[in-house]
Amino acid sequence: MLLDDPSGLNIQYVDRTGSGLVYAALLNSGNLILANSTNTILWDSFSYPTDTILPTQILRPGIELVARYSKRNYSGGRFKLKMQEDGDLVLYSTAYQADYSNTAYWRSDTKGSGYELVFNETGQVYLTALNESIIELIHFSGSSTDESYQRVVLENDGVFMQYVYPKSSNTWRPKVWTTAASKPIPGNICLELEQSLGSGPCGFNTICTLGNDQRPTCNCPPQGYVWLDPEDQTKGCRQDFAPQSCDISKPDQDKFELQEMINTDWPRSDYEMYPSQTEDWCRQSCLSDCFCAVAIYGFSNCWKKRIPLSNGKTHEAVERKALIKVRKIDSTREPAECQKKDSISKPVIIIGSTLLSGLVLLNLLLVILAFATCRRLLSRKMVSDRPSVEGVGGLRNFTFQEISEATDGFKEELGRGAFGTVYKGFVSSSFGHGGHFVAVKVLHRLTEKGDIEFKREMKAISQTNHKNLVKLQGYCNEEDHRILVYEYMSNSCLANFLFRDWKPSWHKRVEIAQGVARGLSYLHDECGTQMIHCDIKPQNVLLDDSLVAKISDFGLAKLLVTDQTRTMTELRGTRGYVAPEWFRNMAISAKVDVYSFGVLLLELICCRKNYKMATEEEPEMILVEWVSDCYHAGSLDPLVLDDEEATGDMNGVERFVRTALWCIQEDPSQRPTMKKVSLMLEGAIPVPIPPDPCSFIS
């Protein structure tokens, strides 16, 4: 038998005669073996791993895992984990399309003492010495293989993660792969992978932030940059504007401005560094320098950077500010030179001098031509004056006919909300092969300046990109039709997941809460233009195939008429989630979303709606009042009754309850920002004892 690898190279030759190959078997461990008549294993898949190891599998010296290129591309990617001959277990980035290691971004520091990486049946992944003694624990799932299926994967983004899948038949526990209790390696790849060559965890000109699943989320800078290939974000981002001219005869410095991002840096790509300077000096220096794409300012130092930018990151630990040069939105291109009139006047003179007798006829002809020209120019001007979103980067412009065909005449309705009606559709790929499902939202009751607002909001929404936001894929802006095309969320909305007969996994609810908090924090603080959602509720949080939470309908509140809402008038939002300031003629800020999130967080904790008419105990009818009473009485057990996972993590439950009570304070100034809420939920900062609110909206 001849066994080949994917490239066609021979791996193993097994003679069919004598003691050659007799059978192949896939063992319960997941190991595929080839054996002879004496049950001697001639070849096994555990000795030739790809990106995954399973319980009972061992990585011996010289063996390595290679991450796949992307989620759907299983060819060798940009990262590898190697059990080195010297005893060190090392994570490397690689020079993609070549097979050599680039930069080590994590190592076990067991050089001289390490020998093998073992994944045993108790869920432990550890390094052993030559005498088989354990010298370092790498991962621990918290359960044995009797309780769950397990795997450890070197993900395509360079994170070494352990996953578990419950074997239990309990109907209340969802059957999905979830991350194990142990921390991923490295803890924050955005901060820990900083290489002199290559793009970093994400592609060039991108910004890396750590997602709620402890894996990197890659985004383009919020204004002026778009994905080079939206289907392959590892290729990075490009400038979606003409760069500053270096032609001194045509200076265009006044057409550019600096977009500010706090706690952001591209630590490589420097070409100049100026110590002991002011921020104003740094700004002016970058604006006047045609080579400068970004200036980084921190601790009175100024760094100027050129394209491509690498190793971009945003995190509280990055105590620097990025000043990103972009073309001003209202800047225009230089007008084209007017055509000279000689080409018209010269023939007129010749004709006039040679055909004097036909002067009247010629004048009549010129009048007709002039009328036609004016009419054509007027038509063009009417078209150019019409509001449009043509050219919004990365989005597909659909005609109404295409939308109608994609939805089969708007046949299957997915839901209705304050912003419009949503239908299920199927869109063919631009290459003509295959396609994918989409959610088509038909907007209604726009403001009087709906066209202008639609154009402005479309541009803002198209520039957002975050793991916990539903991705906008296209739009229709034809005649009176205002339609948005979103990615399709197969697991519907959070309300359908949360409010049912059995309680979903506490671990999954924690992930959802953290994901929604990160998405709101991004909308409030990390977008080029701050977005206030105004209607955070379980129906506006959608779940994808992996039950990752994604916020929908963000950025659309400005498009609605003043009284547009399902259950309220003269305000935005849904009863039970609306912040008190809506009723008090107070200024509205991002803190209204914080309040709504606080109510949503309590619903996630207790797996019930904010208002519950059918309850035996009257104090339990209003969730926010009941939780507050339980907390101040020092008894949180009733909130998670019959929830084994949650009762096993009462410290986490208390942290979430405290955070929620801070969010629903009646005084907006007492509510934390969503960025701080996110840190509270993750346990990165302590949650102080919340004050006792005076009352709650019932």
Side-chain angles (χ1 to χ4, degrees), residues 419 520 531-536 540 551-554 557 593:
F419 303 105
L520 282 175
M531 292 187 184
I532 304 176
H533 191 287
C534 296
D535 198 16
I536 291 296
N540 283 336
I551 300 170
S552 66
D553 285 350
F554 56 90
D593 284 349

Side-chain angles (χ1 to χ4, degrees), residues 223-242:
Q223 180 178 318
Y225 286 76
V226 296
W227 292 110
L228 191 62
D229 180 356
E231 301 300 322
D232 183 3
Q233 296 184 358
T234 61
K235 292 182 179 178
C237 306
R238 62 174 176 83
Q239 291 176 326
D240 194 30
F241 56 87

Side-chain angles (χ1 to χ4, degrees), residues 363-382:
N363 287 337
L364 180 60
L365 178 61
L366 291 174
V367 169
I368 294 173
L369 290 174
F371 177 78
T373 301
C374 289
R375 185 175 181 179
R376 184 167 61 253
L377 292 174
L378 180 60
S379 176
R380 289 179 180 176
K381 184 178 187 303
M382 291 174 65

